C-alpha cells in the first residue's frame, strides 16, 4: 500500500445556514485538494449533509462544489465510500451514478495491510438512546421512505429543513464522558469480545477521540467539521487523527 486512506464524517452541510455551510464546504474542498494526490480511498462516514432526501427525479439543491470534487476524484480512480448517517440515510442511486461512490448502509469491516477496521457512522450502537433506535427503524423502513417520497419536495424538504434546524444545537462542542462511559467505546469492546479488530472508526459523537480499547485495539472518533475539521488517515501502518487548517 503506497497511498493513504482517509476518513471523515459529520460535515453537516446545509446547517446552520447557506453562508456558514458554504464556508465549510469550501474548507472541505480545500482539504480534498490537499489530500487527493496521496489518497487511494476516501471514507465519508455519515452526516455529510444535514439533510438529504432523494426523490426519483429530484435531489436537494446545493453542495455542488463538493459533489463536483468527489466526482473528479472518483473519475481519477479514488475509491469513495458514502456511509448513511442519521441525517442523510435517504440516499438512493444518485451518489453512485453521479460520483461513483459506494453507499454503505450499516457497518463495513475492511482489512488493509493486515489491519482490521470496523467502520460505522455510529448511530444506534451501544447502550442507551432507545428512542432514537426506534425512530431509526421507522426512518429506514422502505414503506415509510416511499410514503415520504409522495410528499412534494416543496413540502417535504420544508419539513425536513425545519427539522434539521434542531441541529443548530449540534454546533456546540461535545464533552468527553470518560473512557468507561463513552458508549461507542463500550460497543467496540463488546465487538472485540467476539472477534479481533485493530481499529474502530466512528463519527456521530461529534468529538474527536482516540481511545485505547482492550487488547490494544483503538477507537477513533472522527469528530465534526463545525468546530474541529478533524479526520483520520491510515498510511499503511499507522492510523492518526488530524486537524485540517488547525488554528494556532
Ligand atoms: Mn452528526
Amino acid at each position: 500500500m503506497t497511498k493513504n486512506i482517509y476518513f471523515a464524517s459529520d460535515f453537516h452541510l446545509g446547517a446552520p445556514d447557506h453562508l456558514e455551510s458554504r464556508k465549510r464546504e469550501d474548507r472541505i474542498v480545500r482539504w480534498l485538494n490537499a489530500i487527493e494526490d496521496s489518497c487511494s480511498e476516501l471514507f465519508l462516514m455519515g452526516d455529510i449533509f444535514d439533510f438529504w432526501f432523494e426523490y426519483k427525479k429530484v435531489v436537494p439543491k446545493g453542495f455542488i462544489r463538493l459533489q463536483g470534487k468527489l466526482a473528479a476524484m472518483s473519475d481519477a480512480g479514488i475509491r469513495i465510500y458514502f456511509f448513511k448517517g442519521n441525517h442523510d440515510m435517504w440516499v438512493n442511486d444518485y451518489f453512485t451514478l453521479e460520483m461513483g461512490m459506494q453507499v454503505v448502509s450499516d457497518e463495513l469491516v475492511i482489512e488493509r495491510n493486515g489491519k482490521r477496521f470496523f467502520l460505522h457512522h455510529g448511530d444506534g450502537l451501544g447502550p442507551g438512546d432507545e428512542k432514537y433506535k426506534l425512530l431509526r427503524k421507522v426512518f429506514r423502513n422502505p414503506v415509510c421512505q416511499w410514503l415520504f417520497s409522495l410528499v412534494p419536495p416543496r413540502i417535504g424538504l420544508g419539513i425536513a429543513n425545519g427539522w434539521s434546524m434542531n441541529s443548530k444545537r449540534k454546533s456546540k462542542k461535545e464533552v468527553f464522558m470518560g473512557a468507561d462511559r463513552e458508549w461507542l467505546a463500550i460497543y467496540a469492546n463488546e465487538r472485540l469480545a467476539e472477534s479481533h479488530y485493530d481499529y474502530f472508526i466512528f463519527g456521530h459523537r461529534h468529538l474527536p477521540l482516540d481511545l485505547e480499547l482492550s487488547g490494544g485495539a483503538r477507537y477513533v472518533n472522527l469528530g465534526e467539521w463545525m468546530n474541529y475539521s478533524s479526520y483520520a488517515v491510515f498510511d499503511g501502518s499507522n492510523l492518526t487523527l488530524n486537524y485540517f487548517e488547525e488554528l494556532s
Side-chain angles (χ1 to χ4, degrees), residues 10 12 47 206:
D10 296 273
H12 285 273
D47 287 4
H206 285 205

Side-chain angles (χ1 to χ4, degrees), residues 17-128:
D17 54 43
H18 189 260
L19 181 67
E20 286 300 311
S21 176
R22 260 300 306 282
K23 282 198 254 174
R24 198 179 319 124
E25 182 180 3
D26 288 347
R27 189 177 350 117
I28 293 159
V29 171
R30 285 199 299 280
W31 174 62
L32 293 172
N33 286 334
I35 67 163
E36 65 181 329
D37 288 344
S38 66
C39 178
S40 61
E41 293 179 278
L42 173 64
F43 290 82
L44 299 175
M45 293 188 56
D47 287 4
I48 297 309
F49 303 102
D50 199 55
F51 182 75
W52 183 271
F53 189 91
E54 211 176 304
Y55 299 85
K56 197 168 180 205
K57 301 278 184 192
V58 177
V59 294
K61 277 188 185 177
F63 327 114
I64 200 69
R65 287 161 184 80
L66 176 64
Q67 292 180 47
K69 185 69 212 173
L70 293 172
M73 289 172 73
S74 160
D75 289 349
I78 296 171
R79 261 193 283 170
I80 310 178
Y81 301 81
F82 182 98
F83 285 60
K84 293 178 182 175
N86 48 309
H87 283 251
D88 53 7
M89 67 184 84
W90 301 278
V91 302
N92 195 354
D93 59 0
Y94 177 75
F95 293 135
T96 305
L97 286 176
E98 298 302 320
M99 285 159 265
M101 300 200 282
Q102 183 181 324
V103 174
V104 181
S105 283
D106 289 289
E107 75 270 14
L108 183 68
V109 175
I110 60 167
E111 198 176 313
R112 297 289 184 273
N113 260 25
K115 304 281 189 192
R116 210 149 171 258
F117 295 75
F118 184 101
L119 312 173
H120 191 291
H121 176 58
D123 59 312
L125 303 182

